[in-house]
Amino acid sequence: RDVAHTLERYVEAIVARVFDDSLLEDLAAAASIPVINALSDTEHPCEALADVMALGEHLGDLRGRQLVYLGDGNNVAASLLLAGASVGLHVRVISPAGYEPDPGVVDRARVIARGTGSRIELAADPVVGVVGADAVYTDVWASMGQEAEADERALVFPAYALDAEKVAVAKPDVTVMHCLPAHRGQEIADEVIDGPHSVVWDQAEN
């Protein structure tokens, strides 16, 4: 409360990166100015806005296009589900067992999708699930705050790495995405992030 009341005297909005979402809720409840989630354990909405903007720049109309997300069902995956559903983008999240997106977020996305014609899917096969994708997205295997799990996750996720094999089964003009920073050679291959399909720098600019 004290931080919120102090900042509202200095600025016109608070843009906060936190771990626990309850911190954002407490800030928003106490502050008389807008509070924007710049990243939390549950969602990463500003990233998703930048990503949807990049997709629109490269694909045009997003309605009915297929976005495939490979990897941990983390905050980025959650926000892509919600943002994709909002703009009519089909979103498929492909994760290993035990690392799927939060079921509550998936349910929220499916409710939104019913109004936009979007399709929200979860899958496990990291190659079959990419077939025919308009865009393929990946992120780090261990997010901020999960560093202690990095070794364990490194044993689970290699099959979900975004490599040339997966790019080859997507559409010929597939768009490749990563929210950065990337661990090259882990979740994404050098030849993919630096390849002709990559729009990661446009994402970063947005």
Side-chain angles (χ1 to χ4, degrees):
R1 290 195 302 270
D2 293 346
V3 170
H5 290 319
T6 301
L7 288 176
E8 69 189 4
R9 301 298 183 99
Y10 297 167
V11 300
E12 294 175 344
I14 300 170
V15 183
R17 293 171 69 96
V18 302
F19 289 110
D20 191 335
D21 290 73
S22 67
L23 292 175
L24 286 168
E25 294 164 7
D26 291 346
L27 275 174
S32 62
I33 57 177
V35 174
I36 297 170
N37 179 1
L39 175 144
S40 69
D41 285 342
T42 304
E43 294 181 33
H44 201 346
C46 293
E47 178 66 46
L49 286 171
D51 296 339
V52 167
M53 180 178 173
L55 282 168
E57 289 167 348
H58 289 273
L59 300 180
D61 188 357
L62 298 181
R63 289 172 295 182
R65 296 285 201 150
Q66 180 69 63
L67 169 64
V68 173
Y69 174 96
L70 277 172
D72 186 32
N74 59 16
N75 53 0
V76 172
S79 288
L80 289 172
L81 285 165
L82 296 167
S86 298
V87 298
L89 188 67
H90 301 322
V91 184
R92 180 182 302 130
V93 176
I94 306 174
S95 305
Y99 295 94
E100 299 91 345
D102 178 84
V105 170
V106 176
D107 289 343
R108 285 167 54 203
R110 286 179 171 152
V111 169
I112 296 168
R114 286 199 289 268
T116 63
S118 174
R119 186 173 60 244
I120 301 298
E121 301 172 306
L122 302 183
D125 191 305
V127 177
V128 173
V130 175
V131 172
D134 293 292
V136 183
Y137 195 123
T138 194
D139 191 8
V140 295
W141 295 338
S143 297
M144 288 183 293
Q146 297 174 331
E147 289 81 5
E149 302 175 27
D151 291 343
E152 176 186 344
R153 287 167 174 259
L155 301 175
V156 175
F157 281 94
Y160 295 80
L162 183 47
D163 53 23
E165 176 191 11
K166 295 181 185 73
V167 172
V169 299
K171 288 188 176 175
D173 59 348
V174 63
T175 296
V176 167
M177 308 183 80
H178 192 303
C179 55
L180 300 180
H183 295 121
R184 290 165 173 265
Q186 289 189 18
E187 74 273 4
I188 192 165
D190 278 333
E191 63 185 324
V192 174
I193 195 170
D194 294 326
H197 300 285
S198 175
V199 301
V200 299
W201 317 119
D202 294 332
Q203 291 177 258
E205 178 184 1
N206 291 348

